[in-house]
Amino acid sequence: MNMDKYLDVINACRFCFMCRHLATLAAVTGKEADTARGHALIADRIRMDKTELANADYIRTIYQADLSGSCRKHCVSSYDEIGLKLALRQDFVEAGLAPAAVSALAKEFTDVQFKVSGNGDMLYYPHPCIEAHQPEIAQAFLSVVPNVKVIDGGDCGKVLKLLGFAKESQAVAARFQAAVKASGCKTVVVSNPAAYDFLKSDGAMDGITVLHSSEVLLNSNLGSAAKLGKLTFINSDFLRNYQECNAPMDLLAKLGCEVERFGTNGEDSYACGEGSMPGIRLFPELTRKMVAHVADMAKRFKVETIVTPSPFVKHALTTYAPELKVLAIEEVAAAVKL
Amino acid sequence: MLPQRESYSYEMIRSELTWVVGDDHVQTDCSEKLAHSIDYYWVPEVWHDRGLKPQVPTFVVHPASAEEVSKILQIANTYKIPVTPWGGGSGSQGGALPMYGGISLDTKRLNKVLEIDPVSMTVTAETGIIMQQLEWEVEKAGYSTMHYPASIGCATLGGFIAHRGTGVLSTKYGKIEDMIMSMEVVTPTGEIIKTLPVPRHASGPDLTQMFCGSEGTLGVVTKATMKIHPIPAARKFHAFLFEDMHGAMVAGAKLMTSRLQPCVIRLYDNAETAKLIKRVLGIERNGSYLVFGFDGEEAIVDLQMKKAVEICKETAIEDLGTDMGQAWWDHRYKFFYPPYMFQLPQAFGTLDTVATFANIENVYWGMKNAVKEQFPQATFIGHFSHWYDWGCMLYARFIIDNPPQDAAEAIALYNRIWDVAIRAAIKNGGVINEHHGVGLKLGRIMKDLYGPAFNVLEGIKKTLDPNNIMNPGKMGFQGV
Ligand SMILES: Cc1cc2nc3c(=O)[nH]c(=O)nc-3n(C[C@H](O)[C@H](O)[C@H](O)COP(=O)(O)OP(=O)(O)OC[C@H]3O[C@@H](n4cnc5c(N)ncnc54)[C@H](O)[C@@H]3O)c2cc1C
Ligand code: SF4
């Protein structure tokens, strides 16, 4: 089984409470099961009794995990609690136990074809997130960095990976790679941190550099963003916890914004389940709860405008808390381009 | 008699509970029940590890207000089913385990910070809040609770109150019972009461203190007001090595009895210095490691530090300096993460005891010799954690690397070691215990510890909880 590769994680996490304060979903459900410890206990029971793999409660708990990565990042020994959950999801899929809703969603992301248009040395991949309707982000980026080719078509394999469809994910990734290769570009720029993470790990391409849009914007000709007033920054889990990419913060600093970190600390995830993006389709109620938590904090701490490098965060917040003013980092850049 | 699943009464109780907290907040699924069957007590861990059937609650209920807690307790009284409060489940005594099934009342939705009062320097919060989250909120307002236990990230404010918990800076800022001003409690029969708003008064016995340490047996603490402090301008540390534990203990006691005001002192015996301090701080030395710190205004910190260093220099064999003190502070929680923490397959227990300076070394040797003589397979190590004007706490541990594979045999051995060690501690003037509480693990010893005074506690329990619904079988009280 795939989860057997994570026996060290199971043994470490099953009786460990040390990262519970950072369990993003548990913070809104209050549930013990939604913590790294809760997940490891489930894995351990499955390890001891393989028939438990079919336990519908366990399957649901593992699929609804937020995968923020805050716990792994906090962990003194960096135990890969995320890898364990992804391995379990893969085990469910391979045993034919994926819930019908999961399989149906996976199907949507399997038949993807990519096409490249435009001219330039860099290839921009704007696919925003699970729901592909945030054209304003790509428009903002392209208004600052116009001379690029654009690759479009859909998700490059990350969603399938998150759902546990590893083989299918690799097949889509191979198609994406072929399209990139055919474009002749050696640099791919992405706005979506989930794709950034995927293209730097499972979907990595030989000889191709992958950049987040903020890394490119850092070197663009931009003016001062001080006029935008106070901005409050919600980071992407994929950028902060998975890839340790600081470019969005560096960019905001360079633009001279008055920026404050959202929330009370630098470890919590406020990304509303970005780590497990398809969750917004499978368990919208849980996303709504995570958003409500962020919206409540925004109100208490009198947040005016939220800025984020994550299209998912913008999408989740504007869907479930339309009263919040949220800008993608590309939109901040576009507002101050010279 | 508890209702069986798929019975009319089970469905009746479930319906009533959902009417109180909503469908979403009454869980009966395997995932949540499994997670509520194991706290930080070694016995449920080994139980799980050996593949035994978990002892789960019938319902996990997550209330979001004192009113909801009250209604849940009323339902429990009607059906006479046990209610076990569950905060973070990080208690090491089995206190939150739903031994008899029934309702596991998980407090974590009671997680709001209600008020920060900068004039009186207090914070009022609901008690299901994770301590680290509370500390972060208070820090954002420019203050600190100064409650820094190793379990700050996993335990709740209510859990600390229920176990009389303590943090690393207790020597200056006190244990949780010194930090709490007042609280709101839902009594076992469902009344919502408030204790007096200040902790110093002459209006009869103090109810706040009565509920501190009651471990969910006398009700559910739903709100608390605690002191907060300014963030100190300076916090400095220094470490020394002593030839043996006695020398270090004499120096540590002198720091306290000369009435210096360190925020922390910690002394590791030779065995723990060789094992844990080496592993976490990389110091490879024979001897006992002593570290202390002061915080506050820099000039006062420096003055106190100077005096403390002078005291230690009289007998220490090596001045490890400020870096090795600071390193300890920086890594203070690292000891508690895997793989630094003891973990299965090892059997281990924290023999938490507290005594006066006159008795504390006798307690240490009494326990150590008893364990060594009767259980040669066990290693005994210890450090002294929380220091007072009159004595300190011994955080002793026994570790067995290869306990029996059979769960019953392993648990029997474990219980036996506990019994022998704790009785040796009591015989030498120790009190069990300083901050972990009693729970299921040590309930059987309460009568011996208290003598006839235990009747007073039993009387209070019977009066407040006539149907014995609140956490039965814990703290030495009657089970179901
Ligand atoms: C890694 C680690 C390190 C630790 N370090 C420390 C430390 O430094 N200092 C320390 O003091 N302890 C420490 N502990 C022990 C533990 O964190 C404490 O005992 C803590 O008080 C338990 O809080 P909890 O919220 O997890 O309570 P739980 O374990 O959920 O419950 C403990 C008891 O309190 C009762 N209870 C919980 N909430 C309420 C409530 N609101 N009202 C009434 N009763 C309630 C429960 O029924 C149970 O009897 C540590 C534990 C771990 C896992
Ligand atoms: S990830 Fe690390 S801190 Fe979190 S439960 Fe696992 S071992 Fe503990």
Side-chain angles (χ1 to χ4, degrees):
Chain A
M1 287 170 81
N2 295 291
M3 72 164 210
D4 293 340
K5 285 180 242 143
Y6 295 90
L7 284 183
D8 62 328
V9 182
I10 297 175
N11 281 330
C13 298
R14 63 185 178 157
F15 304 133
C16 175
F17 291 79
M18 295 303 282
C19 61
R20 108 96 53 73
H21 55 306
L22 301 171
T24 311
L25 184 59
V28 298
T29 60
K31 288 177 65 174
E32 284 292 321
D34 294 332
T35 62
R37 180 184 79 100
H39 300 140
L41 282 173
I42 288 174
D44 207 24
R45 285 226 68 94
I46 295 173
R47 178 187 64 79
M48 290 187 276
D49 176 0
K50 298 289 180 284
T51 63
E52 292 280 25
L53 190 66
N55 183 317
D57 291 343
Y58 292 169
I59 294 173
R60 185 185 161 88
T61 303
I62 297 300
Y63 268 108
Q64 72 183 31
D66 57 82
L67 309 185
S68 77
S70 289
C71 294
R72 182 178 58 187
K73 188 169 168 65
H74 171 84
C75 181
V76 164
S77 311
S78 305
Y79 281 109
D80 190 5
E81 40 98 29
I82 299 292
L84 171 63
K85 279 163 270 204
L86 290 174
L88 274 167
R89 289 182 184 183
Q90 202 178 327
D91 286 330
F92 296 138
V93 170
E94 288 172 8
L97 294 165
V102 169
S103 300
L105 192 59
K107 199 158 182 307
E108 256 184 58
F109 285 83
T110 307
D111 303 322
V112 186
Q113 298 300 330
F114 299 96
K115 71 171 193 300
V116 175
S117 57
N119 284 305
D121 295 335
M122 276 193 304
L123 184 60
Y124 177 52
Y125 174 48
H127 185 69
C129 72
I130 179 99
E131 312 276 29
H133 50 62
Q134 290 171 288
E136 76 282 6
I137 296 176
Q139 274 162 20
F141 179 80
L142 291 169
S143 75
V144 182
V145 189
N147 299 321
V148 290
K149 287 183 180 166
V150 175
I151 178 166
D152 218 337
D155 183 78
C156 56
K158 181 68 174 179
V159 171
L160 287 167
K161 169 78 188 175
L162 290 174
L163 292 174
F165 288 78
K167 237 177 27 238
E168 292 78 356
S169 161
Q170 280 306 314
V172 172
R175 261 176 267 148
F176 184 82
Q177 282 175 23
V180 171
K181 209 167 163 203
S183 77
C185 296
K186 294 284 176 233
T187 304
V188 176
V189 186
V190 299
S191 278
N192 183 359
Y196 178 78
D197 175 60
F198 184 71
L199 296 176
K200 277 181 163 285
S201 53
D202 303 272
M205 299 168 280
D206 276 349
I208 304 290
T209 305
V210 177
L211 298 174
H212 183 253
S213 51
S214 53
E215 292 175 287
V216 175
L217 293 169
L218 251 178
N219 298 315
S220 303
N221 198 13
L222 300 170
S224 164
K227 64 179 180 194
L228 297 177
K230 198 175 94 185
L231 300 176
T232 305
F233 181 69
I234 295 188
N235 211 338
S236 147
D237 290 338
F238 286 118
L239 293 183
R240 185 187 70 177
N241 298 338
Y242 285 59
Q243 293 294 337
E244 302 197 347
C245 168
N246 288 322
M249 263 103 75
D250 296 344
L251 175 62
L252 292 171
K254 189 180 161 196
L255 296 181
C257 304
E258 192 196 331
V259 193
E260 190 190 48
R261 195 182 58 199
F262 188 87
T264 59
N265 67 88
E267 286 197 272
D268 255 323
S269 160
Y270 301 108
C272 305
E274 183 207 39
S276 185
M277 287 189 306
I280 198 167
R281 294 277 295 278
L282 297 168
F283 310 102
E285 184 52 24
L286 296 179
T287 311
R288 195 192 58 73
K289 281 186 182 170
M290 287 186 270
V291 169
H293 178 60
V294 169
D296 173 62
M297 275 191 143
K299 200 163 150 204
R300 273 194 299 130
F301 296 130
K302 301 190 171 48
V303 168
E304 291 162 18
T305 306
I306 290 170
V307 58
T308 177
S310 165
F312 177 89
V313 171
K314 183 177 179 201
H315 171 61
L317 290 179
T318 48
T319 304
Y320 292 109
E323 72 280 10
L324 294 178
K325 190 170 166 211
V326 189
L327 292 175
I329 200 152
E330 291 86 348
E331 293 174 287
V332 172
V336 297
K337 78 173 165 137
L338 293 173
Chain B
M1 178 67 185
L2 276 169
Q4 298 300 305
R5 226 188 146 132
E6 291 169 24
S7 73
Y8 300 144
S9 56
Y10 172 92
E11 285 307 330
M12 185 63 76
I13 297 168
R14 199 168 70 85
S15 298
E16 289 197 35
L17 291 170
T18 60
W19 296 336
V20 175
V21 293
D23 275 347
D24 259 11
H25 305 303
V26 178
Q27 266 100 38
T28 54
D29 67 280
C30 300
S31 309
E32 191 62 356
K33 289 190 346 185
L34 171 64
H36 278 81
S37 70
I38 303 163
D39 64 356
Y40 199 49
Y41 179 25
W42 184 81
V43 168
E45 290 184 3
V46 83
W47 196 267
H48 167 91
D49 182 72
R50 305 298 197 257
L52 299 176
K53 191 165 174 256
Q55 296 191 14
V56 297
T58 319
F59 309 98
V60 181
V61 185
H62 297 259
S65 67
E67 289 69 27
E68 288 184 3
V69 172
S70 165
K71 286 179 187 157
I72 294 165
L73 298 193
Q74 286 168 36
I75 294 170
N77 271 296
T78 304
Y79 293 98
K80 302 212 170 28
I81 53 174
V83 178
T84 308
W86 175 289
S90 70
S92 51
Q93 315 297 77
L97 296 177
M99 281 158 58
Y100 303 104
I103 297 170
S104 184
L105 189 147
D106 190 317
T107 59
K108 282 192 292 296
R109 284 182 67 235
L110 291 160
N111 61 1
K112 287 187 271 309
V113 177
L114 301 168
E115 191 195 3
I116 293 177
D117 172 357
V119 178
S120 324
M121 301 264 278
T122 63
V123 59
T124 302
E126 294 178 331
T127 52
I129 191 166
I130 300 284
M131 200 58 220
Q132 179 67 82
Q133 295 289 351
L134 175 58
E135 173 64 18
W136 276 334
E137 287 256 352
V138 170
E139 281 176 11
K140 188 159 171 122
Y143 307 96
S144 170
T145 63
M146 296 296 173
H147 185 52
Y148 295 159
S151 53
I152 188 167
C154 51
T156 60
L157 173 58
F160 283 117
I161 293 172
H163 271 333
R164 299 177 87 98
T166 194
V168 71
L169 300 181
S170 59
T171 300
K172 178 169 175 183
Y173 296 99
K175 294 181 70 208
I176 197 84
E177 63 265 33
D178 306 311
M179 299 176 165
I180 296 295
M181 304 276 296
S182 65
M183 57 175 83
E184 177 188 83
V185 181
V186 183
T187 67
T189 46
E191 258 171 296
I192 302 173
I193 61 165
K194 287 188 169 63
T195 64
L196 295 180
V198 292
R200 295 285 172 266
H201 60 79
S203 306
D206 193 47
L207 280 182
T208 303
Q209 289 303 320
M210 188 186 85
F211 286 108
C212 278
S214 61
E215 303 193 359
T217 61
L218 302 181
V220 183
V221 183
T222 43
K223 262 180 219 152
T225 299
M226 73 186 292
K227 300 175 200 168
I228 55 176
H229 304 269
I231 310 273
R235 181 173 290 143
K236 296 184 181 177
F237 301 91
H238 206 113
F240 283 91
L241 192 77
F242 290 81
E243 190 169 0
D244 55 27
M245 196 191 80
H246 174 69
M249 175 56 74
V250 170
K254 201 163 167 195
L255 297 185
M256 293 308 299
T257 51
S258 60
R259 299 299 185 244
L260 292 174
Q261 290 169 321
C263 52
V264 59
I265 304 181
R266 202 153 281 192
L267 153 58
Y268 294 82
D269 71 0
N270 290 34
E272 194 156 339
T273 301
K275 206 165 182 148
L276 268 188
I277 290 294
K278 178 180 161 197
R279 208 160 162 214
V280 176
L281 299 187
I283 305 173
E284 210 160 330
R285 299 280 203 289
N286 290 328
S288 285
Y289 170 92
L290 178 85
V291 60
F292 52 83
F294 293 90
D295 69 7
E297 286 299 324
E298 185 147 24
I300 299 173
V301 167
D302 289 344
L303 201 65
Q304 296 219 53
M305 188 57 99
K306 186 164 169 274
K307 182 74 192 148
V309 167
E310 278 168 21
I311 289 174
C312 290
K313 277 191 168 162
E314 284 168 19
T315 48
I317 54 169
E318 188 179 347
D319 182 347
L320 295 169
T322 51
D323 286 356
M324 275 302 144
Q326 184 66 43
W328 173 84
W329 174 254
D330 294 343
H331 293 287
R332 66 192 185 281
Y333 296 148
K334 191 171 170 183
F335 298 91
F336 295 89
Y337 289 79
Y340 301 98
M341 191 58 180
F342 300 107
Q343 59 182 351
L344 283 169
Q346 291 169 316
F348 50 89
T350 300
L351 303 159
D352 162 354
T353 354
V354 58
T356 58
F357 288 128
N359 288 332
I360 192 77
E361 284 187 76
N362 293 337
V363 170
Y364 173 90
W365 289 111
M367 281 170 121
K368 185 168 178 134
N369 291 336
V371 171
K372 253 171 77 177
E373 277 160 24
Q374 299 191 40
F375 308 100
Q377 69 274 50
T379 308
F380 181 97
I381 61 174
H383 62 261
F384 298 85
S385 288
H386 303 279
W387 295 62
Y388 304 98
D389 295 348
W390 43 262
C392 62
M393 179 255 190
L394 167 58
Y395 194 109
R397 275 190 283 215
F398 69 83
I399 305 122
I400 301 176
D401 285 331
N402 292 304
Q405 188 53 33
D406 177 72
E409 250 182 80
I411 294 169
L413 172 64
Y414 180 85
N415 286 341
R416 185 87 195 103
I417 299 178
W418 266 98
D419 222 66
V420 165
I422 287 299
R423 287 187 198 283
I426 296 175
K427 202 168 131 202
N428 284 286
V431 167
I432 49 128
N433 60 51
E434 201 262 354
H435 69 256
H436 287 99
V438 181
L440 167 63
K441 188 195 273 177
L442 299 176
R444 67 182 182 284
I445 294 169
M446 286 291 273
K447 278 196 177 124
D448 293 351
L449 183 70
Y450 273 81
F454 192 67
N455 296 339
V456 178
L457 288 181
E458 277 188 321
I460 294 171
K461 167 75 175 163
K462 279 188 186 135
T463 308
L464 284 181
D465 187 8
N467 291 321
N468 195 24
I469 59 157
M470 289 306 306
N471 211 354
K474 306 285 172 59
M475 251 181 60
F477 294 140
Q478 195 193 323
V480 168

